[in-house]
Amino acid sequence: MGSVRTAIGLMSGTSMDGIDAALLHTDGERIIRRGPFLYVPYDDDLRSRWKAALQTAKAVVERGDRPGDLADTERVLTLCHAAVVKSFLARNGLSPEDIDLIGFHGQTVLHRPDAGVTVQIGDGPLLAAETGIDVVYDMRANDMAHGGQGAPLIPVYHAALSANLPKGFAAPVVFVNIGGISNLTFVGSDGTLSAFDSGPGNMLIDQWIEAHTGRAYDRNGETASRGKVVPDLVRRYLDSPFFSGNVRRSLDRSDFVPPVKGEVSLEDGARTLAHLTAASILKLADHLPQPPKTYVVCGGGRLNPVIMQEFSELAAAKGARVVSAEAGGFDGGAMEAEAWAYLAVRSVEGLPLTFPGTTGVGAAVSGGVLARKP
């Protein structure tokens, strides 16, 4: 085992709602202690800028390409993360000298695993210079260079968390992260990992709500709670080639799009997409090594009671229980950022980040690039 390090994980997900920062003490294998967490939302101007970057990034051919204003957007995004780190340290009475590493996810603007290209904008050397802390970034690329899908990366952290689940959680247990895109992690009793993206998470609901109301998301599922599920629309999504066959693949934000405006009512669209989030998880769970008995849900989707209701009812029909990460003693909002701190430590220790059962990579590989503080 390596030495215990103190790391901050920074996560900005496909929902593009804000930055998560979390502290973790770990040797890259054991979770020694979980620390404080901070969420800082983006304002509307920044969210618009990141969305524009999705369009600009479509011109990327090589991973290092920064067409148009993408390089400037990357700088702005990095400085936003630096400001969050400084605020996090100040709030918790910490200094840069107290932190060994930052695990920096950046913002995914293009993910095309079939073409072997993934782009997470975020300047690791600039972040290291601004914060005075070593930074590990660009953690997906090495997996893809070795034939993997580049996602999901969090399963190895879920495996570490599974060692601390309370008694009474019926096995097999599957961790479900419902972010912009949902993914599943099955942890076998022998440590075997099986993980993959399961379909749209909050992404389509957020886009649907924003297109109709200007709001960033369906707060507390209020809009969806007034609607009804439109079965034909659900079937149309579930008929996607993504859900068929035995080869799992990771998703890009653009792989699924919301319904055409006017196709269904605002409320029915929100309810149908909430149902789709749950239904796609259960559909893809059929590809796991064993039928799950317990689903532990983290990510923003766990805060939408309509998603959780739909998920609970569909899972119960298959003899499984759905619980929030908090019921397992975890912080479901902090988990992704904690994972990036964990991955950063594994990276500098040379430990694998991805495995054949998680990304389809040929053999377990490490990854990430280390940017030293000045």
Side-chain angles (χ1 to χ4, degrees), residues 80-271:
C80 287
H81 281 74
V84 168
V85 171
K86 292 171 185 177
S87 177
F88 182 85
L89 294 175
R91 286 171 181 241
N92 294 291
L94 298 167
S95 69
E97 291 72 26
D98 296 318
I99 310 299
D100 297 303
L101 287 170
I102 292 173
F104 183 24
H105 178 273
Q107 183 67 57
T108 300
V109 293
L110 183 73
H111 187 66
R112 287 287 176 233
D114 294 342
V117 178
T118 187
V119 179
Q120 288 75 43
I121 56 171
D123 187 332
L126 176 60
L127 185 62
E130 287 289 320
T131 60
I133 302 169
D134 291 349
V135 173
V136 179
Y137 67 109
D138 200 13
M139 292 196 228
R140 299 187 188 276
N142 194 49
D143 175 80
M144 294 183 75
H146 287 82
Q149 291 273 308
L153 263 68
I154 296 179
V156 69
Y157 183 60
H158 288 156
L161 288 177
S162 69
N164 300 312
L165 280 170
K167 292 180 180 179
F169 275 56
V173 174
V174 171
F175 287 85
V176 182
N177 179 59
I178 305 178
I181 293 167
S182 296
N183 53 67
L184 312 181
T185 302
F186 174 97
V187 185
S189 57
D190 60 354
T192 299
L193 283 177
S194 180
F196 39 77
D197 287 352
S198 63
N202 305 312
M203 179 178 65
L204 295 184
I205 304 169
D206 292 350
Q207 291 172 351
W208 179 254
I209 293 295
E210 185 168 25
H212 286 78
T213 71
R215 300 194 307 270
Y217 64 102
D218 187 12
R219 185 178 179 85
N220 295 321
E222 291 168 358
T223 303
S225 68
R226 300 193 299 270
K228 63 181 184 298
V229 176
V230 180
D232 287 347
L233 184 55
V234 175
R235 279 194 291 271
R236 192 174 82 200
Y237 280 107
L238 294 182
D239 283 344
S240 162
F242 172 78
F243 296 105
S244 60
N246 292 316
V247 178
R248 305 274 55 85
R249 59 181 293 271
S250 59
L251 284 171
D252 181 65
R253 183 184 170 94
S254 63
D255 286 337
F256 288 92
V257 296
V260 176
K261 199 170 182 178
E263 182 177 359
V264 292
S265 71
L266 167 63
E267 293 80 5
D268 288 356
R271 182 58 177 252

Side-chain angles (χ1 to χ4, degrees), residues 310-336:
E310 296 282 351
F311 189 13
S312 295
E313 290 176 358
L314 291 174
K318 294 194 172 189
R321 182 169 67 118
V322 173
V323 298
S324 70
E326 284 72 16
F330 311 126
D331 183 334
M335 201 177 287
E336 276 195 285

Side-chain angles (χ1 to χ4, degrees), residues 344-365:
V345 176
R346 288 185 70 86
S347 176
V348 297
E349 292 288 346
L351 296 169
L353 306 188
T354 56
F355 305 82
T358 64
T359 65
V361 68
V365 294

